[in-house]
């Protein structure tokens, strides 16, 4: 059995086990089912609209990062269509949207794939830093004593922020200690160095960082509104700090896919967080289901419209 085949089998097994567990937990709790069906059509539509609105600052920041790392100006209308179609494809096949964008940009603008991937990593890197920084500020101001299990939430978010901030520059520094000149490893080294160099370079542009942060703050507020409305619709009583933590967890969970779209795994993570933040494991599962469902509907709508 090849390594790739073994990984696919393990991913499918994990998908089956995690989804089965989530469905069992929800169906075995009558109150959970009642809570889902108690969401009014107006609220459901509002959540879908908020998800669509959230895509605009996301698209703008993504374009900003790609333009910086590729030194290419991409018309807003063209990029928005690429971004929305990519989101739609990602709901069908994980990472299909990123592959589609990269290939189209290479064909239409001659952008090397490694430079596009550098933009993707820069967007992901800066978004992670910003979301964690804002989460720390919210927790520090509103609920500095908030705990996640046995650990202070500030320690968890602060430690994650340090790791996230330092990882790309440290990785670039480390690979520059090894410089294979020929063969496959030389080719791979040059591509990887170019990828990380493009990613880290965005941190040296103050104007780009300023615009990225301003638009990112708007996106952060819209995202918190999505989670806040979802929890309110489910009659889950929790703090603003907990709402922020749920959003940050969602973003971090999207970066490493253990199953297609982290289906099942993300829901279990939300359940675990919910049990630590006072809304219960089933409450966390419900939040994940509502947010994911509204996001999928929004992705399908904009994808078809594009």
């Amino acid at each position: 059995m090849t390594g790739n085949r073994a990984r696919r089998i393990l991913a499918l097994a994990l998908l089956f086990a995690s989804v089965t567990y989530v469905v069992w937990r929800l169906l075995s709790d009558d109150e959970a089912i009642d809570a889902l069906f108690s969401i009014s059509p107006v609220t459901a539509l509002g959540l879908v609209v908020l998800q669509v609105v959230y895509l605009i600052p996301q698209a703008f920041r993504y374009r900003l990062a790609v333009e910086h790392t590729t030194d290419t100006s991409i018309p807003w209308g063209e990029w928005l269509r690429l971004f929305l179609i990519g989101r739609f494809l990602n709901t069908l096949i994980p990472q299909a949207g990123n592959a589609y964008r990269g290939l189209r940009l290479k064909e239409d603008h001659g952008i090397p794939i490694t430079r596009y991937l550098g933009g993707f990593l820069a967007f992901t890197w800066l978004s992670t830093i910003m979301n964690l920084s804002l989460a720390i500020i919210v927790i520090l101001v509103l609920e500095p004593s908030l705990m996640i299990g046995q650990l202070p939430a500030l320690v968890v978010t602060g430690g994650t922020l340090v790791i996230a901030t330092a990882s790309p520059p440290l990785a670039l520094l480390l690979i520059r200690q090894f410089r294979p000149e020929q063969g496959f490893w030389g080719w791979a080294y040059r591509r990887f160095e170019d990828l990380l160099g493009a990613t880290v370079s965005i941190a040296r542009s103050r104007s780009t960082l300023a615009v990225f942060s301003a638009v990112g703050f708007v996106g952060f507020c819209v995202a918190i509104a999505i989670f806040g409305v979802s929890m309110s619709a489910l009659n889950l009583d929790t703090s603003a700090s907990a709402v922020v933590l749920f959003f940050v967890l969602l973003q971090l969970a999207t970066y490493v896919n253990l199953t297609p779209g982290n289906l099942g795994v993300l829901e279990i993570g939300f359940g675990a967080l919910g049990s630590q933040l006072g809304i219960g494991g089933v409450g966390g599962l419900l939040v994940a289901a509502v947010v994911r469902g509204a996001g999928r509907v929004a992705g399908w709508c904009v994808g078809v419209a594009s």
Side-chain angles (χ1 to χ4, degrees):
M1 181 183 296
T2 64
N4 287 336
R5 186 181 178 188
R7 283 193 292 270
R8 285 197 296 269
I9 291 175
L10 287 174
L12 289 174
L14 179 60
L15 174 65
F16 177 78
S18 57
V19 170
T20 299
Y21 171 76
V22 170
V23 172
W24 171 74
R25 281 295 304 272
L26 291 177
L27 292 180
S28 63
D29 192 313
D30 293 336
E31 291 184 0
I33 302 301
D34 292 340
L36 278 176
F37 282 99
S38 69
I39 299 176
S40 70
V42 173
T43 300
L45 178 61
L47 284 170
V48 173
V49 171
L50 282 173
Q51 289 278 10
V52 172
V53 171
Y54 177 66
L55 295 177
I56 303 303
Q58 287 288 89
F60 188 92
R61 290 189 300 156
Y62 198 168
R63 172 175 171 255
L64 195 68
V66 170
E67 286 188 334
H68 176 84
T69 59
T70 63
D71 195 26
T72 303
S73 179
I74 307 170
W76 169 246
E78 176 188 347
W79 171 259
L80 183 61
R81 186 170 183 274
L82 276 179
F83 178 81
L84 296 178
I85 292 176
R87 291 284 295 205
F88 172 66
L89 293 175
N90 280 340
T91 65
L92 303 177
I93 304 173
Q95 301 306 320
N98 288 327
Y100 167 77
R101 294 187 198 108
L103 292 173
R104 285 300 305 271
L105 290 173
K106 181 177 178 62
E107 179 180 341
D108 297 341
H109 296 275
I111 294 174
I113 295 295
T114 52
R115 285 304 178 109
Y116 165 73
L117 290 176
F120 170 72
L121 289 179
F123 166 72
T124 302
W125 182 43
L126 293 183
S127 296
T128 300
I129 292 172
M130 182 169 185
N131 289 335
L132 285 167
S133 299
L134 289 172
I136 289 171
I137 293 172
V138 171
I139 296 170
L140 192 61
V141 172
L142 299 180
E143 200 174 355
S145 60
L146 182 66
M147 304 289 289
I148 302 177
Q150 302 299 315
L151 294 174
L154 285 173
V155 171
V156 175
T157 51
T160 307
L161 175 61
V162 170
I163 294 171
T165 303
S167 292
L170 282 179
L172 181 61
L173 180 64
L174 286 174
I175 68 166
R176 283 178 173 169
Q177 305 306 309
F178 308 94
R179 293 181 176 273
E181 298 295 335
Q182 299 178 348
F184 169 78
W185 291 113
W187 175 86
Y189 165 80
R190 289 188 292 273
R191 295 297 182 274
F192 195 51
E193 183 184 32
D194 185 49
L195 174 65
L196 284 176
T199 300
V200 173
S201 70
I202 198 170
R204 295 191 290 269
S205 174
R206 294 182 180 179
S207 60
T208 301
L209 288 178
V211 176
F212 191 98
S213 300
V215 178
F217 179 75
V218 175
F220 181 85
C221 292
V222 175
I224 298 308
I226 292 170
F227 278 82
V229 172
S230 298
M231 291 182 179
S232 176
L234 293 166
N235 296 314
L236 298 174
D237 185 19
T238 189
S239 65
S241 300
V243 173
V244 169
L245 280 177
F246 271 98
F247 166 62
V248 172
L249 172 66
L250 172 67
Q251 292 300 300
L252 293 176
T254 60
Y255 301 147
V256 180
N257 286 320
L258 301 179
T259 63
N262 267 345
L263 184 62
V265 175
L266 176 64
E267 283 72 12
I268 291 174
F270 269 45
L273 184 60
S275 65
Q276 299 296 326
L277 296 178
I279 64 173
V282 173
L285 295 179
L286 288 172
V287 173
V290 171
V291 173
R292 184 191 289 274
R296 285 299 174 94
V297 173
W300 293 333
C301 289
V302 298
V304 171
S306 299

